[in-house]
Amino acid sequence: MFNMDWTGEYVAFIVFSAVIISGAVFMINFTKVVHMVVSLAAVFIGIAGMFVLLQAEFLAFVQVLIYAGAISILMIFGIMMTKHGDREAESKSRLHKIAAGIGAIALFGILFYAIRQTEFPAQEQPLHGAEDNAMEIGKLLFTGYVVPFELVSVLLTVAFIGAIVLAKKEANE
Amino acid sequence: MLSSYLMVAAILFCIGLYGALVKKNAVIVLLCIELMLNAVNLNLVAFSKYGVGASLTGQMFTLFTIAIAAAEAAVGIAILIALFRARGTVNVDDYDEMRR
């Protein structure tokens, strides 16, 4: 795993993973809520870079639009509408934090062991449709995945109407 | 190369899990769940390039996951705002009616 030559992809991978992991760790350590959201936006952009490395350009742009754009802004609005300049109060018990940390590290240990132990078989053929990625995805979306695509559109409509109804001010209660 | 991507996704997932368990602000808990979803998306796209039968199916799956995650975030924020109006707090430790 660690014995690979220094190709351009590898260097870019190192840079993006550094952005992703440092953003996530900063998110855990910051005390101001808005700073946490901004560092998570960095994580989302790093993941978009990873998608470009994995020849999923369309997904990379979707990631930037939806995660780094829409969801970050939505969360910032959520913070604005709940409490301004809120600081993360330190009152969760130390025991709770240690237990959560041990749980997360144990899960990572299991995943690490599983990934190292697994023999990934060699590829049968390289990814086709890597160039013209957006066109290939569009073709698939309107041939093989029409039904899920339409279902997702219905689900999004229902979810957003539901969100509006939930967040609406209740009439003079 | 595949196992490196899987490792980054695993690290990201564990950080998201830790944040979701430890953080007190409900907005941040929601964001940590998005982080975990993103780790899973990274896995799907990595397998779509380096898996045995490399195809665009993994990317399609990721597209649908992103759509569901967007809906989840919108509904989650709406519930949070309604809850904040009712209770005047976003601290997840204060939402404990079911325990009392």
Side-chain angles (χ1 to χ4, degrees):
Chain A
M1 172 189 164
F2 294 113
N3 48 1
M4 42 184 60
D5 43 337
W6 287 79
T7 57
E9 186 194 3
Y10 190 51
V11 174
F13 171 80
I14 297 277
V15 171
F16 284 131
S17 52
V19 169
I20 289 174
I21 292 171
S22 59
V25 171
F26 277 136
M27 188 275 293
I28 294 293
N29 281 324
F30 277 145
T31 50
K32 272 194 156 180
V33 181
V34 179
H35 293 176
M36 292 180 187
V37 178
V38 173
S39 72
L40 264 182
V43 174
F44 293 149
I45 290 174
I47 289 178
M50 286 260 186
F51 285 172
V52 172
L53 283 186
L54 289 165
Q55 293 181 311
E57 289 89 6
F58 180 70
L59 271 182
F61 284 101
V62 167
Q63 170 88 9
V64 170
L65 278 176
I66 295 191
Y67 275 104
I71 288 186
S72 304
I73 298 295
L74 189 69
M75 293 297 169
I76 287 174
F77 268 107
I79 290 166
M80 269 168 54
M81 294 176 95
T82 50
K83 263 186 182 165
H84 284 283
D86 197 13
R87 282 175 182 278
E88 180 87 3
E90 288 289 331
S91 77
K92 259 204 175 148
S93 70
R94 201 178 180 78
L95 189 70
H96 180 105
K97 273 190 177 174
I98 290 172
I102 287 174
I105 289 173
L107 177 65
F108 177 69
I110 293 169
L111 289 175
F112 185 83
Y113 180 76
I115 293 170
R116 291 308 300 271
Q117 287 299 310
T118 314
E119 295 259 330
F120 294 107
Q123 269 182 307
E124 285 162 358
Q125 85 278 18
L127 175 64
H128 81 100
E131 65 279 351
D132 287 339
N133 182 260
M135 193 172 81
E136 293 292 331
I137 282 184
K139 277 183 191 162
L140 265 181
L141 206 54
F142 287 105
T143 54
Y145 294 89
V146 183
V147 177
F149 179 67
E150 297 297 335
L151 283 179
V152 161
S153 68
V154 172
L155 179 109
L156 276 178
T157 314
V158 170
F160 290 133
I161 292 175
I164 293 169
V165 170
L166 273 174
K168 201 182 58 176
K169 266 206 168 69
E170 275 146 54
N172 49 35
E173 200 180 321
Chain B
M1 205 64 204
L2 175 59
S3 50
S4 323
Y5 284 105
L6 294 188
M7 210 59 89
V8 171
I11 293 171
L12 204 58
F13 189 88
C14 292
I15 292 175
L17 179 66
Y18 177 77
L21 289 176
V22 163
K23 290 295 172 189
K24 290 182 55 205
N25 192 315
V27 180
I28 300 300
V29 173
L30 216 58
L31 262 177
C32 286
I33 292 170
E34 296 293 328
L35 197 64
M36 290 159 78
L37 282 168
N38 253 302
V40 175
N41 285 348
L42 189 57
N43 265 358
L44 287 172
V45 179
F47 273 114
S48 119
K49 172 148 189 230
Y50 290 110
V52 182
S55 67
L56 286 179
T57 314
Q59 297 185 17
M60 298 302 303
F61 226 99
T62 309
L63 214 53
F64 288 118
T65 318
I66 289 176
I68 304 295
E72 177 249 316
V75 174
I77 283 287
I79 290 176
L80 257 181
I81 289 173
L83 208 52
F84 176 74
R85 243 183 235 132
R87 304 289 306 274
T89 176
V90 281
N91 188 340
V92 286
D93 287 347
D94 294 341
Y95 301 144
D96 56 353
E97 285 95 342
M98 303 279 270
R99 203 164 60 181
R100 283 187 293 205

